[in-house]
């Protein structure tokens, strides 16, 4: 059959091939790295495998099922794979605008996410859409080439085969049979290397079409026979394209009776497909083969069917051209010159038509003008027809030479590759021992690092235990260095019978100390209450010139803030003992609590005769040792550290001393909770 019709048939064939291949591939995402197959991936794969056969036979049901599945998926890659399937079904159901919108959504997601594996599938799908619905075969070839460029060593082999088949079809229908043969044979080599029959049927059919076009009918027949042996397990799509393509090969070989049988079989399966192009193509083929057999009545019947289906394919200029030219030929056979001229004039634009179609069209015009006795135009169109016939013959010869040359290059390349492989195998064997030694060395090194890390961790744990024990011992020493609270309580309860604020403060101080001595972490409010009690007990000894004030910033919830116990009290006690006690002037003690820069800051400030805090790290006091070692212990377990800033400044004739404790937000005190 004509190249025009074969070009239209390609759109269906390419779409079919892609659907079969993609649904046979595990739908995993790609970002360059292989991801594990989840339960959702398997569920989508199973549903996809079930739905792809319905895309042409029942697209409305596919659209409904995809909508339901999309509502349940969580992985974006799976969602947009389903979106592509729905877009394809929408186009087959006649809703091309919605289908195009779906493809645009998928491509936008690929650009945003960088999902290269999904983009590969997208270009393969979109090439089929461009061919089938827009008739732009050069653009479709560009889409398949972009898909091929995205293939990598990590790509699934069946996906590689799918892209090769579609790219081969696009080369065939853009006038490059040698290039098409190259990609078909690439697909065949991959399938042979992995021992797979998946898509082998489509490769055989494609090669059969290629050899039919270059008039190598014996080779074409061989590949169609290979494909025919696989028909029992073929789907509806496979069977339609097989019978239609095989019918074309028989038509080229002038075996019209056999071609008619194949086209009749193709028509049976075309009725099960939804897309009008399938019925339009096979009706056109049946019209032409009946015309060649002299069955004018049957040719008329199939021509009317083809024209009806053509009305649903307004964008297919090539199919329209061929059908109208064929209609003019039928009118010529009925000696209806006026109707033939009308059909020929309505055939449309001829800039995208191939030489075979043009040769046939001009030969028809030559016959029409000859019957009209317009021998000038008849001769003009005869020369044009002969010109295209010569082009066809030359092109077939060039394609045959190119195909033979391609085979030779492939065979030579294979031999060279085998020699290289043999050399590499020798090199690999010589390297195996080095690799073994290297791996063994790495394992020994890893074992050493593991042992070293375990010993280091154990040493760190022991140091921490030792530090804890030292901390606990110092706390106990601190408690023992003070008067026993139980002893004081007993004496006071027995001896004191009258109210005395100083004594009451002392009792409260010792009672609070007893409550907090076994707790390592307390709230800031508890710590400040303890400080208040301590200051109240010390106030009588500091005189009337003593002033104590707490400054708590708004927004600081001291009930929820946790700090190490006695951390503030120790600095307050140092301020009273070493700074304020014995100082004759105005005495002040201020505590500031504020929050800034994601950090809680507590400042103890006083004036006095000397600094109670400067050079605290060298202090021999037990309390300061407790603070220093506690902070060191906590800072080892936190990325952001507690900081203690001790300063002295002149304030007129007096000196003001301050210590600021900075505790970062989210500081973890877990190491002190045991």
């Amino acid at each position: 059959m004509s190249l025009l019709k074969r070009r239209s048939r390609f759109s269906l064939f390419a779409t079919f091939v892609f659907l079969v291949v993609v649904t046979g591939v595990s739908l995993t995402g790609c970002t360059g790295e292989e991801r594990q197959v989840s339960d959702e991936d398997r569920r989508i794969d199973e549903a996809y495998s079930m739905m792809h056969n319905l895309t042409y036979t029942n697209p409305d049901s596919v659209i409904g099922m995809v909508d339901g599945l999309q509502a349940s998926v969580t992985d974006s890659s799976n969602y947009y794979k389903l979106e592509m399937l729905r877009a394809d079904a929408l186009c087959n159901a006649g809703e091309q605008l919605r289908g195009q919108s779906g493809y645009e959504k998928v491509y936008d997601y690929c650009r945003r996410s960088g999902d290269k594996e999904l983009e590969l599938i997208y270009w393969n799908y979109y090439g089929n859409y461009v061919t089938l619905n827009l008739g732009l075969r050069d653009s479709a070839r560009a889409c398949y080439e972009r898909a091929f460029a995205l293939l990598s060593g990590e790509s699934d082999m069946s996906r590689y085969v799918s892209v090769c088949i579609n790219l081969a079809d696009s080369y065939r229908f853009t006038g490059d049979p040698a290039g098409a043969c190259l990609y078909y044979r690439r697909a065949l080599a991959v399938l042979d290397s992995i021992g797979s029959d998946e898509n082998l049927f489509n490769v055989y059919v494609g090669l059969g079409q290629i050899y039919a076009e270059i008039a190598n009918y014996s080779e074409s027949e061989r590949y169609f026979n290979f494909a025919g042996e696989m028909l029992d397990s073929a789907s509806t799509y496979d069977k339609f394209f097989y019978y239609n393509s095989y019918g074309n090969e028989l038509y080229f070989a002038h075996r019209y009776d056999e071609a008619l049988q194949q086209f009749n079989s193709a028509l049976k399966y075309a009725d099960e497909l939804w897309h009008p192009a399938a019925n339009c193509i096979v009706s056109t083929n049946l019209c032409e083969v009946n015309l060649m057999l002299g069955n004018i009545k049957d040719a008329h019947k199939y021509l009317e069917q083809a024209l009806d289906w053509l009305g649903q394919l307004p964008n297919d200029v090539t199919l329209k051209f061929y059908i109208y030219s064929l209609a003019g030929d039928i009118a010529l056979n009925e000696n209806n010159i006026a109707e033939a001229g009308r059909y020929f004039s309505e055939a449309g634009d001829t800039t995208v038509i191939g030489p075979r179609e043009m040769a046939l069209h001009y030969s028809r015009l030559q016959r029409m003008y000859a019957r009209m006795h317009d021998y000038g135009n008849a001769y003009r169109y005869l020369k044009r027809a002969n010109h295209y016939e010569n082009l066809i013959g030359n092109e077939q010869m060039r394609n045959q030479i190119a195909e033979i040359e391609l085979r030779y290059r492939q065979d030579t390349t294979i031999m060279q590759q085998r020699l290289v492989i043999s050399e590499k195998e020798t090199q690999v064997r010589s390297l195996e021992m080095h690799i073994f030694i290297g791996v063994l060395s790495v394992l020994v090194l890893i074992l050493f690092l593991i042992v070293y890390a375990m010993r280091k961790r154990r040493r760190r744990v022991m140091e921490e235990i030792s530090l804890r024990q030292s901390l606990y011992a110092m706390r106990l020493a601190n408690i023992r260095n003070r008067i026993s609270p139980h002893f004081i309580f007993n004496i006071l309860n027995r001896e004191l019978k009258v109210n005395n604020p100083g004594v009451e403060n002392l009792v409260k101080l010792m009672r609070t100390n007893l409550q907090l001595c076994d707790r390592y972490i307390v709230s800031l409010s508890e710590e400040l209450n303890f400080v208040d009690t301590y200051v109240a007990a010390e106030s009588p000894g500091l005189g009337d010139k003593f002033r104590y004030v707490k400054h708590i910033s708004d927004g600081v919830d001291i009930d929820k803030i946790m700090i190490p116990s006695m951390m503030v009290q120790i600095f307050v006690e140092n301020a009273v003992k070493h700074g304020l006690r014995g100082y004759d002037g105005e005495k002040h003690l201020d505590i500031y609590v504020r929050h800034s820069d994601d950090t809680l800051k507590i400042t103890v400030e006083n004036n006095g005769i000397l600094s109670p805090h400067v050079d605290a790290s060298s202090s021999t006091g037990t309390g300061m040792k407790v603070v220093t070692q506690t902070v060191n212990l906590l800072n080892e377990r936190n990325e952001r550290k507690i900081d203690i800033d001790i300063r002295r400044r002149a304030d007129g004739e007096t000196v003001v001393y301050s210590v600021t404790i900075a505790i970062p937000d989210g500081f973890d005190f877990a190491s002190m909770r045991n």
Side-chain angles (χ1 to χ4, degrees):
M1 198 60 64
S2 67
L3 179 60
L4 167 61
K5 291 181 288 181
R6 293 196 308 281
R7 283 185 174 177
S8 299
R9 283 189 290 274
F10 159 72
S11 60
L12 287 175
F13 180 75
T15 304
F16 154 69
V17 167
F18 176 74
L19 288 175
V20 171
V21 171
V22 170
T23 53
V25 178
S26 176
L27 294 178
T28 58
C30 68
T31 56
E33 295 180 359
E34 185 178 356
R35 65 171 187 172
Q36 292 183 347
V37 179
S38 65
D39 291 338
E40 180 179 294
D41 294 331
R42 283 188 286 271
R43 178 166 56 86
I44 296 302
D45 282 351
E46 291 172 0
Y48 197 100
S49 178
M50 181 269 294
M51 284 190 291
H52 86 274
N53 284 327
L54 300 175
T55 305
Y56 280 96
T57 58
N58 194 353
D60 289 334
S61 66
V62 172
I63 295 168
M65 286 186 285
V66 167
D67 289 340
L69 282 171
Q70 282 183 322
S72 64
V73 299
T74 59
D75 181 79
S76 297
S77 182
N78 282 334
Y79 180 90
Y80 283 99
K81 286 180 188 121
L82 291 171
E83 185 67 25
M84 266 193 297
L85 185 62
R86 184 170 68 148
D88 191 58
L90 285 168
C91 292
N92 292 335
E95 299 187 50
Q96 290 190 20
L97 291 178
R98 290 180 62 194
Q100 174 68 26
S101 176
Y103 284 120
E104 290 173 356
K105 291 178 183 177
V106 175
Y107 183 57
D108 181 65
Y109 169 77
C110 291
R111 288 189 302 172
R112 287 185 288 107
S113 65
D115 191 335
K116 297 301 182 185
E117 194 70 11
L118 183 59
E119 186 179 355
L120 187 160
I121 301 173
Y122 164 80
W123 285 116
N124 218 0
Y125 252 99
Y126 196 66
N128 299 329
Y129 165 76
V130 169
T131 303
L132 182 62
N133 295 282
L134 305 181
L136 304 175
R137 293 169 180 85
D138 288 333
S139 299
R141 175 171 164 177
C143 293
Y144 298 134
E145 287 174 342
R146 294 187 70 168
F148 189 83
L150 289 168
L151 289 168
S152 66
E154 298 178 0
S155 298
D156 191 293
M157 286 296 99
S158 59
R159 185 164 296 158
Y160 179 92
V161 171
S162 167
V163 176
C164 283
I165 291 174
N166 281 348
L167 196 52
D169 284 333
S170 68
Y171 270 86
R172 181 164 64 88
F173 288 102
T174 51
D176 188 355
C181 193
L182 170 65
Y183 283 102
Y184 279 134
R185 290 191 176 280
R186 281 184 176 179
L188 192 61
V190 171
L191 291 173
D192 182 62
S193 67
I194 63 178
S196 173
D197 291 337
E198 183 182 5
N199 295 308
L200 190 59
F201 177 92
N202 301 314
V203 176
Y204 286 152
V205 173
L207 286 169
Q209 292 174 317
I210 287 291
Y211 285 109
E213 288 181 10
I214 63 177
N216 188 343
Y217 300 119
S218 60
E219 194 73 6
S220 174
E221 188 80 12
R222 185 168 72 91
Y223 281 109
F224 276 115
N225 288 337
F226 288 158
E229 295 174 0
M230 307 174 72
L231 270 177
D232 290 341
S233 59
S235 67
T236 302
Y237 312 106
D238 290 323
K239 292 174 181 176
F240 168 75
F241 288 108
Y242 170 79
Y243 287 118
N244 196 61
S245 301
Y246 192 23
N248 284 331
E249 188 267 339
L250 294 169
Y251 179 89
F252 293 150
H254 307 293
R255 296 159 60 181
Y256 300 124
D257 288 325
E258 296 175 73
L260 180 62
Q261 296 176 10
Q262 301 300 321
F263 290 138
N264 281 325
S265 298
L267 181 63
K268 179 178 66 174
Y269 293 107
D271 290 336
E272 300 180 25
L273 304 176
W274 274 55
H275 205 285
N279 295 88
C280 185
I281 290 167
V282 73
S283 297
T284 305
N285 289 345
L286 284 166
C287 173
E288 185 168 10
V289 75
N290 275 289
L291 178 63
M292 300 302 295
L293 290 170
N295 302 327
I296 304 299
K297 182 177 179 180
D298 288 336
H300 256 297
K301 179 182 71 172
Y302 289 116
L303 175 63
E304 291 175 0
Q305 293 180 8
L307 289 170
D308 288 341
W309 288 113
L310 183 63
Q312 302 181 43
L313 300 167
N315 296 321
D316 202 323
V317 177
T318 56
L319 192 56
K320 176 185 175 183
F321 174 85
Y322 192 82
I323 292 175
Y324 275 79
S325 181
L326 180 60
D329 196 7
I330 293 175
L332 278 178
N333 278 273
E334 296 175 336
N335 207 30
N336 191 340
I337 305 299
E339 186 174 0
R342 180 176 62 84
Y343 276 122
F344 289 145
S345 65
E346 293 180 2
D349 185 9
T350 61
T351 59
V352 296
I353 308 304
R356 189 184 299 274
E357 287 70 34
M358 295 309 303
L360 186 58
H361 183 66
Y362 286 140
S363 67
R364 289 166 177 167
L365 286 170
Q366 181 267 328
R367 286 190 290 115
M368 183 185 74
Y369 281 109
R371 292 187 185 184
M372 295 170 62
H373 304 290
D374 185 350
Y375 297 111
N377 278 324
Y379 179 68
R380 181 162 58 92
Y381 285 116
L382 176 62
K383 287 197 299 182
R384 291 185 181 181
N386 289 336
H387 169 72
Y388 280 107
E389 288 289 350
N390 290 333
L391 286 180
I392 293 170
N394 293 336
E395 182 180 0
Q396 286 181 339
M397 181 63 66
R398 285 195 302 270
N399 289 332
Q400 288 176 355
I401 294 172
E403 195 275 333
I404 293 172
E405 182 182 359
L406 175 64
R407 284 197 189 187
Y408 173 76
R409 289 202 309 267
Q410 287 182 326
D411 291 342
T412 303
T413 301
I414 291 172
M415 291 178 62
Q416 292 175 344
Q417 288 177 341
R418 287 175 178 172
L419 289 174
V420 172
I421 290 172
S422 177
E423 294 176 0
K424 295 300 180 182
E425 286 178 348
T426 303
Q427 295 177 8
V428 168
R429 283 193 295 269
S430 67
L431 289 175
E432 283 179 348
M433 183 58 67
H434 294 86
I435 294 173
F436 173 77
I437 295 173
V439 171
L440 183 61
S441 300
V442 170
L443 291 176
V444 171
L445 178 61
I446 291 173
L447 181 61
F448 171 77
L449 292 176
I450 291 173
V451 173
Y452 175 77
M454 292 177 64
R455 288 174 61 87
K456 186 175 180 180
R457 181 176 179 276
R458 182 179 179 185
R459 184 166 56 252
R460 187 173 61 251
V461 170
M462 295 301 295
E463 289 174 353
E464 183 176 325
I465 293 173
S466 176
L467 184 59
R468 286 179 181 275
Q469 290 174 346
S470 299
L471 180 61
Y472 298 155
M474 283 189 291
R475 286 185 177 275
L476 290 175
N478 191 37
I479 293 172
R480 292 192 187 99
N481 288 336
R482 305 182 183 193
I483 301 174
S484 171
H486 294 289
F487 174 75
I488 293 174
F489 292 155
N490 292 336
I491 297 298
L492 292 178
N493 289 333
R494 184 178 70 246
E495 299 295 336
L496 297 177
K497 303 299 183 181
V498 296
N499 292 330
N500 186 314
V503 174
E504 290 177 358
N505 286 332
L506 179 60
V507 172
K508 183 178 179 181
L509 176 64
M510 300 309 296
R511 188 182 303 277
T512 304
N513 181 67
L514 181 63
Q515 293 172 348
L516 299 180
C517 67
D518 291 330
R519 294 172 58 191
Y520 304 118
I521 302 297
V522 297
S523 67
L524 181 55
S525 62
E526 291 177 303
E527 180 73 5
L528 292 179
N529 287 337
F530 183 58
V531 169
D532 291 343
T533 303
Y534 171 76
V535 173
E538 289 281 10
S539 292
L542 297 175
D544 296 334
K545 295 181 180 181
F546 172 68
R547 176 181 59 82
Y548 166 61
V549 182
K550 290 186 297 183
H551 309 269
I552 301 176
S553 299
D554 294 339
V556 177
D557 189 350
I558 60 176
D559 291 326
K560 294 183 179 179
I561 296 172
M562 306 302 292
I563 66 171
S565 65
M566 301 182 72
M567 177 168 278
V568 179
Q569 190 274 338
I570 288 174
F571 289 111
V572 170
E573 184 176 343
N574 284 347
V576 172
K577 287 182 178 181
H578 305 297
L580 298 174
R581 189 177 293 164
Y583 181 59
D584 294 334
E586 294 286 341
K587 308 179 183 69
H588 72 83
L589 174 64
D590 294 273
I591 298 178
Y592 298 89
V593 180
R594 62 189 184 281
H595 187 274
S596 65
D597 300 328
D598 299 328
T599 304
L600 175 70
K601 296 181 180 179
I602 306 170
T603 301
V604 178
E605 182 178 286
N606 67 281
N607 62 346
I609 55 176
L610 56 83
S611 170
H613 310 301
V614 176
D615 200 21
S617 61
S618 63
S619 173
T620 58
T622 302
M624 288 304 299
K625 286 184 178 179
V626 169
V627 170
T628 302
Q629 296 192 17
T630 298
V631 169
N632 291 337
L633 173 64
L634 293 172
N635 283 343
E636 287 182 359
R637 298 302 186 188
N638 288 271
E639 182 177 354
R640 297 182 63 193
K641 313 298 184 183
I642 293 177
D643 180 60
I644 299 178
D645 182 28
I646 301 173
R647 298 189 179 187
R648 176 173 57 185
R649 75 176 188 276
D651 186 6
E653 297 180 356
T654 64
V655 180
V656 177
Y657 307 96
S658 67
V659 57
T660 299
I661 307 166
I663 304 176
D665 289 352
F667 194 86
D668 185 10
F669 294 100
S671 60
M672 294 189 66
R673 297 186 187 279
N674 295 332

